Amino acid sequence: MAKKKATVSFDTAYQELQGILEQLQSEDSLDNLEAQVKKATDLILACKGKLRELDTLVDKTINPDD
């Protein structure tokens, strides 16, 4: 059975990405790299989704007849 992904707000996802970046920059160990990259990828996809939704909304607002 596939896992259902929780919805995360753009701001929360962005803050988590910033935290991952800081952690990766400060750590010498690569032990957590795979997990951090996976988490960052999921957060980036969530942010892209939110931005696409916003772009669609703005486009519909600007061009209601299209």
Side-chain angles (χ1 to χ4, degrees):
M1 183 181 266
K3 285 196 281 184
K4 187 175 181 180
K5 294 192 179 199
T7 304
V8 62
S9 74
F10 182 88
D11 291 333
T12 300
Y14 184 78
Q15 289 173 350
E16 286 187 46
L17 282 167
Q18 292 288 51
I20 290 171
L21 179 60
E22 289 174 12
Q23 186 177 20
L24 290 174
Q25 289 175 335
S26 67
E27 284 187 14
D28 292 332
S29 173
L30 297 179
D31 292 336
N32 294 325
L33 182 60
E34 182 179 2
Q36 297 291 19
V37 169
K38 169 100 175 77
K39 177 69 175 172
T41 301
D42 291 343
L43 292 168
I44 289 167
L45 290 174
C47 287
K48 282 183 170 183
K50 295 287 184 184
L51 290 171
R52 272 190 227 102
E53 289 173 13
L54 181 59
D55 184 52
T56 300
L57 178 63
V58 169
D59 190 47
K60 286 180 180 179
T61 302
I62 293 173
N63 303 307
D65 296 332
D66 288 345

